Each structure stands twice: as structure tokens, then as C-alpha cells.
Coordinates of all heavy atoms in Angstrom, one line a residue:
M5 N 0.8 -1.2 0.1 CA 0.0 0.0 0.0 C 1.0 1.2 0.0 O 2.0 1.2 0.4 CB -0.9 0.0 1.2 CG -1.8 -1.2 1.3 SD -3.0 -1.4 0.1 CE -4.3 -0.1 0.7
T6 N 0.3 2.3 -0.5 CA 1.0 3.5 -0.4 C 0.2 4.6 0.2 O -0.8 4.2 0.8 CB 1.4 4.1 -2.0 OG1 0.2 4.0 -2.7 CG2 2.3 2.9 -2.6
D7 N 0.5 5.9 0.0 CA -0.3 7.0 0.6 C -1.7 6.9 0.4 O -2.2 6.4 -0.7 CB 0.3 8.3 0.0 CG 1.6 8.6 0.6 OD1 2.0 8.0 1.6 OD2 2.3 9.5 -0.1
N8 N -2.5 7.1 1.3 CA -4.1 7.3 1.1 C -4.5 5.8 1.0 O -5.6 5.7 0.3 CB -4.5 8.1 0.0 CG -4.0 9.5 0.3 OD1 -4.1 10.0 1.4 ND2 -3.7 10.3 -0.7
N9 N -3.8 4.8 1.3 CA -4.2 3.3 1.1 C -4.5 3.0 -0.2 O -5.5 2.2 -0.5 CB -5.5 3.1 2.1 CG -5.2 3.3 3.6 OD1 -4.1 3.0 4.0 ND2 -6.2 3.9 4.4
R10 N -3.8 3.5 -1.2 CA -4.0 3.1 -2.6 C -2.8 2.0 -2.9 O -1.7 2.2 -2.6 CB -3.7 4.3 -3.5 CG -4.8 5.3 -3.3 CD -4.8 6.4 -4.4 NE -6.0 7.3 -4.2 CZ -7.1 7.1 -4.6 NH1 -7.4 6.0 -5.2 NH2 -8.1 8.0 -4.4
G11 N -3.4 1.1 -3.5 CA -2.4 -0.1 -3.9 C -1.5 0.4 -4.9 O -2.0 1.2 -5.9
P12 N -0.2 0.2 -5.0 CA 0.7 0.5 -6.0 C 0.3 0.3 -7.5 O 0.5 1.0 -8.5 CB 2.0 0.1 -5.6 CG 1.8 -1.1 -4.8 CD 0.4 -0.8 -4.1
A13 N -0.1 -1.0 -7.7 CA -0.4 -1.4 -9.0 C -1.8 -1.0 -9.5 O -2.0 -0.8 -10.6 CB -0.4 -2.9 -9.1
T14 N -2.8 -0.9 -8.6 CA -4.2 -0.7 -9.1 C -4.6 0.8 -8.8 O -5.6 1.2 -9.5 CB -5.0 -1.5 -8.3 OG1 -5.0 -1.2 -6.8 CG2 -4.7 -2.9 -8.5
G15 N -4.1 1.5 -7.8 CA -4.5 2.8 -7.6 C -5.9 2.8 -6.9 O -6.6 3.8 -6.7
I16 N -6.4 1.5 -6.4 CA -7.8 1.4 -5.8 C -7.6 1.8 -4.3 O -6.7 1.3 -3.6 CB -8.2 -0.1 -6.0 CG1 -8.4 -0.3 -7.5 CG2 -9.4 -0.2 -5.2 CD1 -8.7 -1.8 -7.7
A17 N -8.4 2.6 -3.8 CA -8.4 3.0 -2.4 C -9.1 1.9 -1.6 O -10.1 1.4 -2.0 CB -9.1 4.4 -2.2
L18 N -8.5 1.8 -0.5 CA -9.2 0.9 0.6 C -9.5 1.7 1.9 O -8.5 2.2 2.4 CB -8.3 -0.3 0.9 CG -8.7 -1.2 1.9 CD1 -10.0 -1.8 1.5 CD2 -7.7 -2.4 2.3
D19 N -10.6 1.9 2.2 CA -11.0 2.6 3.4 C -12.2 2.0 3.9 O -12.7 1.0 3.5 CB -11.2 4.0 3.1 CG -12.2 4.3 2.0 OD1 -12.9 3.4 1.8 OD2 -12.4 5.5 1.5
A20 N -12.8 2.5 5.1 CA -13.9 1.9 5.7 C -15.1 1.8 4.8 O -15.8 0.8 4.7 CB -14.3 2.7 6.9
E21 N -15.4 2.7 3.9 CA -16.4 2.7 3.0 C -16.3 1.6 1.9 O -17.3 0.9 1.7 CB -16.6 4.1 2.2 CG -17.7 4.2 1.3 CD -17.8 5.6 0.7 OE1 -17.2 6.5 1.2 OE2 -18.4 5.6 -0.4
S22 N -15.1 1.5 1.3 CA -15.0 0.4 0.4 C -15.0 -0.9 1.0 O -15.5 -1.9 0.4 CB -13.7 0.6 -0.4 OG -12.5 0.5 0.4
L23 N -14.5 -1.1 2.3 CA -14.6 -2.4 2.9 C -16.0 -2.8 3.2 O -16.4 -3.9 3.0 CB -13.7 -2.3 4.2 CG -13.6 -3.6 5.0 CD1 -12.3 -3.8 5.3 CD2 -14.5 -3.7 6.1
R24 N -16.9 -1.8 3.7 CA -18.2 -2.1 3.8 C -18.9 -2.5 2.5 O -19.7 -3.4 2.6 CB -18.9 -0.8 4.4 CG -18.6 -0.6 5.9 CD -19.4 0.4 6.4 NE -19.0 0.7 7.8 CZ -18.1 1.7 8.2 NH1 -17.9 2.6 7.3 NH2 -17.8 1.8 9.5
A25 N -18.5 -1.8 1.5 CA -19.2 -2.2 0.2 C -18.9 -3.7 -0.2 O -19.6 -4.4 -0.7 CB -18.7 -1.3 -0.9
E26 N -17.6 -4.1 0.0 CA -17.1 -5.4 -0.2 C -17.9 -6.4 0.6 O -18.3 -7.3 0.1 CB -15.6 -5.5 0.0 CG -15.2 -6.9 -0.1 CD -15.0 -7.5 -1.4 OE1 -15.0 -6.7 -2.4 OE2 -14.9 -8.7 -1.6
L27 N -18.1 -6.1 1.8 CA -18.7 -7.0 2.8 C -20.2 -7.1 2.5 O -20.8 -8.2 2.6 CB -18.6 -6.4 4.2 CG -17.4 -6.7 5.0 CD1 -17.3 -5.8 6.4 CD2 -17.0 -8.1 5.1
Q28 N -20.8 -6.1 1.9 CA -22.2 -6.2 1.5 C -22.3 -6.9 0.2 O -23.4 -7.7 0.1 CB -22.8 -4.7 1.2 CG -24.2 -4.6 1.0 CD -24.8 -3.3 1.0 OE1 -24.0 -2.3 0.8 NE2 -26.1 -3.1 1.0
E29 N -21.5 -6.7 -0.7 CA -21.6 -7.4 -2.1 C -21.2 -8.9 -1.9 O -21.8 -9.6 -2.7 CB -20.7 -6.7 -3.0 CG -21.1 -5.3 -3.4 CD -20.0 -4.6 -4.3 OE1 -19.1 -5.3 -4.9 OE2 -20.1 -3.3 -4.3
A30 N -20.2 -9.2 -1.3 CA -19.8 -10.6 -1.2 C -19.3 -11.1 0.1 O -18.1 -11.4 0.2 CB -18.7 -10.8 -2.3
P31 N -20.1 -11.2 1.1 CA -19.4 -11.7 2.3 C -19.0 -13.0 2.3 O -18.0 -13.4 3.0 CB -20.8 -11.6 3.4 CG -22.0 -11.5 2.4 CD -21.5 -10.9 1.2
E32 N -19.7 -13.9 1.4 CA -19.2 -15.3 1.3 C -17.9 -15.5 0.7 O -17.1 -16.4 1.1 CB -20.2 -16.1 0.5 CG -20.3 -15.7 -1.0 CD -21.0 -14.5 -1.3 OE1 -21.7 -13.8 -0.4 OE2 -20.9 -14.0 -2.4
A33 N -17.4 -14.4 0.1 CA -16.0 -14.5 -0.6 C -15.0 -14.4 0.6 O -13.8 -14.7 0.4 CB -15.8 -13.3 -1.6
H34 N -15.4 -14.0 1.8 CA -14.5 -13.7 2.9 C -14.7 -14.8 4.0 O -14.4 -14.7 5.2 CB -14.6 -12.4 3.4 CG -14.2 -11.4 2.4 ND1 -13.0 -11.1 2.0 CD2 -15.1 -10.6 1.7 CE1 -13.0 -10.2 1.0 NE2 -14.3 -9.8 0.8
G35 N -15.7 -15.7 3.6 CA -16.1 -16.9 4.6 C -16.9 -16.3 5.7 O -17.0 -16.9 6.8
L36 N -17.7 -15.3 5.4 CA -18.6 -14.7 6.3 C -20.1 -14.9 5.9 O -20.4 -15.0 4.8 CB -18.3 -13.3 6.5 CG -17.0 -12.8 6.9 CD1 -16.9 -11.3 6.7 CD2 -16.8 -13.4 8.4
D37 N -21.0 -15.1 7.0 CA -22.4 -15.1 6.6 C -22.9 -13.6 6.7 O -22.1 -12.8 7.2 CB -23.2 -15.9 7.6 CG -23.2 -15.6 8.9 OD1 -23.2 -14.4 9.3 OD2 -23.0 -16.6 9.8
P38 N -24.1 -13.3 6.1 CA -24.5 -11.9 6.2 C -24.6 -11.2 7.5 O -24.3 -10.0 7.6 CB -25.9 -12.0 5.6 CG -25.8 -13.2 4.7 CD -25.0 -14.2 5.4
E39 N -24.8 -12.0 8.6 CA -24.8 -11.5 9.9 C -23.4 -11.1 10.4 O -23.1 -10.0 11.0 CB -25.5 -12.4 11.0 CG -26.9 -12.6 10.6 CD -27.3 -13.7 9.6 OE1 -26.3 -14.6 9.2 OE2 -28.3 -13.6 9.1
Q40 N -22.5 -11.9 10.1 CA -21.1 -11.5 10.4 C -20.6 -10.3 9.7 O -19.9 -9.5 10.3 CB -20.2 -12.7 10.2 CG -20.3 -14.0 11.1 CD -19.6 -15.2 10.6 OE1 -19.6 -15.5 9.4 NE2 -18.8 -15.9 11.5
A41 N -21.0 -10.3 8.5 CA -20.5 -9.2 7.5 C -21.1 -8.0 8.2 O -20.5 -6.8 8.3 CB -20.9 -9.5 6.1
A42 N -22.4 -8.0 8.6 CA -23.1 -6.8 9.1 C -22.5 -6.2 10.4 O -22.2 -5.1 10.6 CB -24.5 -7.1 9.4
E43 N -21.9 -7.3 11.2 CA -21.3 -6.8 12.5 C -20.1 -6.2 12.2 O -19.6 -5.1 12.9 CB -21.0 -8.1 13.3 CG -22.3 -8.7 14.0 CD -22.0 -9.9 14.7 OE1 -20.8 -10.2 15.0 OE2 -23.0 -10.7 15.0
I44 N -19.3 -6.6 11.3 CA -18.0 -6.0 10.9 C -18.3 -4.6 10.3 O -17.6 -3.6 10.7 CB -17.1 -6.9 10.0 CG1 -16.7 -8.1 10.7 CG2 -15.9 -6.1 9.4 CD1 -16.1 -9.2 9.8
A45 N -19.2 -4.5 9.4 CA -19.6 -3.4 8.7 C -20.1 -2.2 9.7 O -19.9 -1.0 9.5 CB -20.6 -3.5 7.7
A46 N -20.5 -2.7 10.9 CA -21.0 -1.8 11.9 C -19.9 -1.2 12.8 O -20.2 -0.2 13.5 CB -22.0 -2.4 12.8
L47 N -18.8 -1.6 12.6 CA -17.7 -1.0 13.4 C -17.4 0.4 12.9 O -17.6 0.8 11.8 CB -16.3 -1.9 13.1 CG -16.3 -3.3 13.7 CD1 -15.1 -4.2 13.1 CD2 -16.5 -3.4 15.2
P48 N -16.9 1.3 13.9 CA -16.7 2.7 13.6 C -15.6 2.8 12.5 O -14.7 2.0 12.4 CB -16.2 3.3 14.9 CG -16.4 2.3 15.9 CD -16.6 1.0 15.2
D49 N -15.7 3.9 11.6 CA -14.7 4.1 10.6 C -13.2 4.1 11.2 O -12.4 3.5 10.5 CB -14.9 5.5 9.9 CG -16.2 5.5 9.0 OD1 -16.7 4.4 8.8 OD2 -16.4 6.5 8.4
G50 N -13.1 4.7 12.4 CA -11.9 4.9 12.9 C -11.1 3.5 13.2 O -10.0 3.4 13.1
Q51 N -11.9 2.5 13.7 CA -11.4 1.3 13.9 C -11.0 0.5 12.7 O -9.9 -0.1 12.6 CB -12.4 0.5 14.8 CG -11.9 -0.8 15.4 CD -12.9 -1.6 16.2 OE1 -14.0 -1.1 16.5 NE2 -12.6 -2.7 16.6
I52 N -12.0 0.6 11.7 CA -11.5 0.0 10.4 C -10.4 0.5 9.8 O -9.5 -0.2 9.4 CB -12.8 0.1 9.5 CG1 -14.0 -0.8 10.0 CG2 -12.4 -0.6 8.1 CD1 -15.3 -0.7 9.3
N53 N -10.3 1.9 9.7 CA -9.2 2.5 9.1 C -7.9 2.2 9.8 O -6.9 2.2 9.1 CB -9.5 4.0 9.0 CG -10.5 4.2 7.9 OD1 -10.7 3.5 6.8 ND2 -11.4 5.3 8.0
S54 N -8.1 2.2 11.2 CA -6.8 1.9 11.9 C -6.3 0.5 11.6 O -5.0 0.4 11.4 CB -7.1 2.0 13.4 OG -6.0 1.7 14.1
W55 N -7.1 -0.4 11.5 CA -6.6 -1.7 11.0 C -6.1 -1.8 9.6 O -5.1 -2.5 9.4 CB -7.7 -2.7 11.2 CG -7.7 -3.4 12.6 CD1 -8.5 -3.1 13.7 CD2 -6.6 -4.1 13.3 NE1 -8.2 -3.6 14.8 CE2 -7.0 -4.2 14.6 CE3 -5.4 -4.6 12.8 CZ2 -6.2 -5.1 15.6 CZ3 -4.6 -5.5 13.7 CH2 -5.2 -5.7 15.1
I56 N -6.7 -1.1 8.6 CA -6.2 -1.0 7.3 C -4.8 -0.3 7.4 O -3.9 -0.9 6.7 CB -7.0 -0.1 6.4 CG1 -8.6 -0.8 6.2 CG2 -6.5 0.2 5.1 CD1 -9.6 -0.1 5.6
H57 N -4.7 0.6 8.1 CA -3.3 1.3 8.1 C -2.2 0.3 8.9 O -1.1 0.2 8.3 CB -3.3 2.5 9.0 CG -4.0 3.6 8.3 ND1 -3.3 4.4 7.2 CD2 -5.2 4.2 8.3 CE1 -4.2 5.4 6.7 NE2 -5.3 5.3 7.4
E58 N -2.6 -0.3 9.9 CA -1.7 -1.3 10.6 C -1.3 -2.5 9.6 O -0.1 -2.7 9.6 CB -2.4 -1.9 11.7 CG -1.7 -3.0 12.6 CD -0.4 -2.6 13.1 OE1 -0.2 -1.5 13.6 OE2 0.5 -3.5 13.4
L59 N -2.3 -3.0 9.0 CA -1.9 -4.2 8.2 C -1.2 -3.8 6.9 O -0.3 -4.4 6.3 CB -3.2 -4.9 7.8 CG -3.9 -5.6 9.0 CD1 -5.2 -6.2 8.7 CD2 -3.0 -6.6 9.7
A60 N -1.4 -2.5 6.4 CA -0.8 -2.0 5.3 C 0.7 -1.8 5.6 O 1.6 -2.2 4.8 CB -1.4 -0.7 4.8
A61 N 1.0 -1.3 6.9 CA 2.4 -1.2 7.2 C 3.1 -2.4 7.2 O 4.2 -2.5 6.9 CB 2.4 -0.4 8.6
R62 N 2.4 -3.5 7.8 CA 3.0 -4.8 7.8 C 3.3 -5.4 6.4 O 4.3 -5.8 6.1 CB 2.2 -5.9 8.5 CG 1.9 -5.6 10.0 CD 1.0 -6.5 10.7 NE 0.6 -6.2 11.9 CZ -0.3 -6.9 12.7 NH1 -0.7 -8.1 12.2 NH2 -0.5 -6.4 13.9
D63 N 2.4 -5.1 5.5 CA 2.6 -5.5 4.2 C 3.7 -4.8 3.6 O 4.5 -5.3 2.9 CB 1.4 -5.2 3.2 CG 0.3 -6.3 3.5 OD1 0.5 -7.3 4.2 OD2 -0.8 -6.1 3.0
D64 N 3.9 -3.5 3.8 CA 5.0 -2.7 3.3 C 6.3 -3.2 3.8 O 7.4 -3.3 3.2 CB 4.8 -1.2 3.6 CG 3.7 -0.4 2.8 OD1 3.2 -1.1 1.9 OD2 3.3 0.7 3.3
A65 N 6.3 -3.5 5.1 CA 7.5 -4.0 5.6 C 7.9 -5.3 5.0 O 9.1 -5.6 4.7 CB 7.4 -4.2 7.2
F66 N 7.0 -6.3 4.8 CA 7.2 -7.5 4.2 C 7.9 -7.2 2.8 O 8.9 -7.9 2.4 CB 5.9 -8.4 4.1 CG 6.1 -9.6 3.2 CD1 6.8 -10.7 3.6 CD2 5.6 -9.5 1.8 CE1 7.0 -11.7 2.9 CE2 5.8 -10.6 1.0 CZ 6.5 -11.7 1.6
W67 N 7.1 -6.5 2.0 CA 7.4 -6.3 0.7 C 9.0 -5.7 0.5 O 9.7 -5.9 -0.4 CB 6.5 -5.5 -0.3 CG 5.3 -6.5 -0.6 CD1 4.1 -6.4 0.0 CD2 5.3 -7.7 -1.3 NE1 3.3 -7.4 -0.4 CE2 4.1 -8.3 -1.2 CE3 6.3 -8.3 -2.0 CZ2 3.7 -9.4 -1.9 CZ3 6.0 -9.6 -2.6 CH2 4.7 -10.1 -2.5
A68 N 9.3 -4.7 1.5 CA 10.6 -4.1 1.4 C 11.7 -5.3 1.8 O 12.7 -5.3 1.1 CB 10.6 -3.0 2.6
L69 N 11.4 -6.1 2.8 CA 12.3 -7.3 3.0 C 12.4 -8.2 1.8 O 13.5 -8.5 1.4 CB 11.9 -8.1 4.2 CG 12.0 -7.3 5.6 CD1 11.2 -8.0 6.6 CD2 13.5 -7.0 5.8
Y70 N 11.2 -8.5 1.2 CA 11.3 -9.3 0.1 C 12.1 -8.7 -1.2 O 12.9 -9.4 -1.6 CB 9.9 -9.6 -0.5 CG 9.7 -10.3 -1.8 CD1 9.8 -11.7 -1.8 CD2 9.6 -9.6 -2.9 CE1 9.7 -12.3 -3.1 CE2 9.5 -10.3 -4.2 CZ 9.5 -11.6 -4.2 OH 9.4 -12.2 -5.4
D71 N 11.9 -7.4 -1.3 CA 12.6 -6.7 -2.4 C 14.1 -6.8 -2.1 O 14.9 -7.0 -3.0 CB 12.1 -5.4 -2.5 CG 12.7 -4.6 -3.9 OD1 12.5 -5.2 -4.9 OD2 13.2 -3.5 -3.6
G72 N 14.4 -6.5 -1.0 CA 15.8 -6.5 -0.5 C 16.5 -7.7 -0.7 O 17.6 -7.8 -1.3
L73 N 15.9 -8.9 -0.3 CA 16.4 -10.2 -0.4 C 16.6 -10.5 -1.9 O 17.6 -11.1 -2.4 CB 15.4 -11.2 0.3 CG 15.8 -12.6 0.0 CD1 17.2 -13.0 0.6 CD2 14.8 -13.4 0.7
R74 N 15.6 -10.2 -2.8 CA 15.7 -10.5 -4.1 C 16.8 -9.8 -4.8 O 17.5 -10.4 -5.5 CB 14.2 -10.0 -4.8 CG 14.2 -10.3 -6.3 CD 12.8 -9.8 -6.8 NE 12.4 -8.5 -6.5 CZ 12.8 -7.5 -7.3 NH1 13.5 -7.6 -8.2 NH2 12.3 -6.3 -6.8
R75 N 17.0 -8.4 -4.4 CA 18.0 -7.6 -5.0 C 19.4 -8.3 -4.6 O 20.4 -8.4 -5.4 CB 18.0 -6.3 -4.7 CG 16.8 -5.5 -5.4 CD 16.6 -4.0 -4.8 NE 15.5 -3.5 -5.4 CZ 15.5 -2.9 -6.5 NH1 16.7 -2.8 -7.4 NH2 14.5 -2.3 -7.1
R76 N 19.5 -8.6 -3.3 CA 20.8 -9.1 -2.9 C 21.2 -10.6 -3.4 O 22.3 -10.9 -3.9 CB 20.9 -9.3 -1.4 CG 20.9 -8.0 -0.5 CD 21.1 -8.1 1.0 NE 20.1 -9.0 1.6 CZ 18.9 -8.6 1.9 NH1 18.5 -7.4 1.9 NH2 18.1 -9.5 2.7
T77 N 20.1 -11.4 -3.6 CA 20.3 -12.7 -4.3 C 20.6 -12.5 -5.8 O 21.7 -13.0 -6.2 CB 19.0 -13.4 -4.2 OG1 18.7 -13.7 -2.8 CG2 19.2 -14.8 -4.9
I78 N 20.1 -11.6 -6.5 CA 20.5 -11.3 -7.8 C 21.9 -10.7 -7.9 O 22.8 -11.2 -8.7 CB 19.5 -10.4 -8.5 CG1 18.1 -11.2 -8.7 CG2 20.0 -9.9 -9.9 CD1 16.9 -10.2 -9.2
A79 N 22.2 -9.8 -7.0 CA 23.6 -9.3 -7.1 C 24.7 -10.3 -6.7 O 25.6 -10.4 -7.3 CB 23.8 -8.1 -6.0
H80 N 24.4 -11.2 -5.8 CA 25.2 -12.3 -5.4 C 25.4 -13.3 -6.5 O 26.6 -13.7 -6.8 CB 24.7 -13.1 -4.2 CG 25.5 -14.1 -3.7 ND1 26.7 -14.0 -3.0 CD2 25.4 -15.6 -3.8 CE1 27.3 -15.1 -2.7 NE2 26.6 -16.1 -3.3
L81 N 24.4 -13.6 -7.2 CA 24.4 -14.6 -8.3 C 25.3 -13.9 -9.4 O 26.0 -14.6 -10.1 CB 23.1 -15.0 -8.7 CG 22.3 -16.0 -7.7 CD1 20.9 -16.2 -8.2 CD2 23.1 -17.3 -7.5
A82 N 24.9 -12.8 -9.7 CA 25.7 -12.0 -10.8 C 27.2 -11.9 -10.5 O 28.0 -12.2 -11.5 CB 25.2 -10.5 -11.0
E83 N 27.4 -11.7 -9.2 CA 28.9 -11.7 -8.8 C 29.6 -13.1 -8.9 O 30.6 -13.3 -9.5 CB 29.1 -11.2 -7.4 CG 30.4 -11.0 -6.9 CD 30.5 -10.6 -5.5 OE1 29.8 -9.7 -5.1 OE2 31.4 -11.1 -4.8
M84 N 28.9 -14.1 -8.6 CA 29.3 -15.4 -8.7 C 29.6 -15.8 -10.2 O 30.6 -16.3 -10.5 CB 28.4 -16.5 -8.0 CG 28.4 -16.5 -6.5 SD 27.3 -17.6 -5.7 CE 27.6 -19.0 -6.7
H85 N 28.6 -15.4 -11.0 CA 28.6 -15.7 -12.3 C 29.8 -15.1 -13.0 O 30.6 -15.6 -13.8 CB 27.3 -15.4 -13.0 CG 27.4 -15.7 -14.5 ND1 27.3 -17.0 -15.0 CD2 27.4 -14.9 -15.6 CE1 27.2 -16.9 -16.4 NE2 27.3 -15.7 -16.8
S86 N 30.0 -13.8 -12.7 CA 31.1 -13.1 -13.2 C 32.4 -13.6 -12.9 O 33.4 -13.7 -13.7 CB 30.9 -11.5 -12.7 OG 32.1 -10.8 -13.1
T87 N 32.5 -14.0 -11.6 CA 33.9 -14.5 -11.0 C 33.9 -16.0 -11.8 O 35.3 -16.2 -12.2 CB 33.7 -14.7 -9.4 OG1 33.5 -13.5 -8.9 CG2 35.0 -15.3 -9.0
A88 N 33.0 -16.7 -11.9 CA 33.2 -18.0 -12.6 C 33.7 -17.8 -14.0 O 34.4 -18.7 -14.6 CB 31.9 -18.8 -12.5
K89 N 33.1 -16.8 -14.6 CA 33.6 -16.6 -16.1 C 35.0 -16.2 -16.2 O 35.7 -16.5 -17.3 CB 32.8 -15.5 -16.9 CG 31.3 -16.0 -17.0 CD 30.4 -15.0 -17.8 CE 31.0 -13.8 -18.4 NZ 30.0 -12.9 -18.8
D90 N 35.7 -15.6 -15.2 CA 37.0 -15.2 -15.2 C 37.9 -16.2 -15.0 O 39.2 -16.2 -15.0 CB 37.3 -14.0 -14.1 CG 36.4 -12.8 -14.6 OD1 36.1 -12.6 -15.7 OD2 36.2 -11.9 -13.5
V91 N 37.4 -17.4 -14.3 CA 38.3 -18.6 -14.0 C 38.6 -19.5 -15.2 O 37.5 -19.9 -15.9 CB 37.8 -19.3 -12.8 CG1 38.6 -20.6 -12.4 CG2 37.7 -18.4 -11.7
E92 N 39.8 -19.8 -15.6 CA 40.1 -20.6 -16.6 C 39.7 -22.1 -16.2 O 40.0 -22.4 -15.1 CB 41.6 -20.7 -17.0 CG 42.0 -19.3 -17.6 CD 41.4 -19.0 -19.0 OE1 41.2 -20.0 -19.8 OE2 41.1 -17.9 -19.2
P93 N 39.0 -22.9 -17.2 CA 38.8 -24.3 -16.8 C 39.9 -25.1 -16.7 O 41.0 -24.9 -17.3 CB 37.8 -24.7 -17.9 CG 37.9 -23.7 -19.0 CD 38.6 -22.4 -18.3

């Protein structure tokens, strides 16, 4: 997620309003019955948005670690490959 809870690839905003719309349209897609979805939808905006921000921060941290690991792995493999090419068989 990025600023304003917009996904980097889609630009789609996630906030309490959009979460409620999702719950209303397809509660079963989240393993909820209509009553459970209604209970979640009744939570205050602040509580829903707080969890969105918390979970988005966790996702951001995960993807930063993933990206760093991917880059380090590629750099290491490139270095190994470069070194191997310089060695005479």
C-alpha cells in the first residue's frame, strides 16, 4: 500500500467505505455469513481505518524485505557468475 491506502499497481483506495461495500456485495467471498459481515460493517470508521493502516504497514515491511532479499540474491548470483567466467577451466 502507499499513501492514502492506494495499492501501487491498481490505484484502488481501501477505506472503511470500500470495505463495507465489499462486505455487503460478497460476504461469502470472505467466509462470512451476512450477519457476521453486518457486525464488521457496523464497526466505527476509525477502527476499520486503523486496522487498514496497521496491516498495510506490515505488508509494506514484508515487501521491503522481500525486495531487498531479491536484489541481494540477484547481485550475489551476478557476482558469482562474473567470477566463474573469469576462471580458466
Side-chain angles (χ1 to χ4, degrees):
M5 298 298 278
T6 59
D7 292 339
N8 299 321
N9 298 322
R10 291 190 181 279
T14 64
I16 297 171
L18 177 61
D19 57 13
E21 183 179 341
S22 63
L23 187 130
R24 286 188 185 101
E26 172 72 19
L27 288 170
Q28 185 176 20
E29 291 172 17
E32 67 283 348
H34 303 284
L36 302 171
D37 61 41
E39 293 80 22
Q40 293 169 311
E43 288 176 14
I44 294 168
L47 294 171
D49 284 2
Q51 186 175 0
I52 294 171
N53 290 330
S54 176
W55 275 107
I56 290 170
H57 288 286
E58 172 68 26
L59 296 173
R62 291 180 193 179
D63 285 352
D64 287 347
F66 168 80
W67 288 112
L69 290 171
Y70 171 85
D71 187 54
L73 175 59
R74 182 176 51 86
R75 289 175 183 276
R76 288 190 307 277
T77 301
I78 291 169
H80 179 74
L81 292 171
E83 183 179 321
M84 286 177 50
H85 179 70
S86 174
T87 303
K89 287 178 21 181
D90 293 339
V91 176
E92 293 292 325

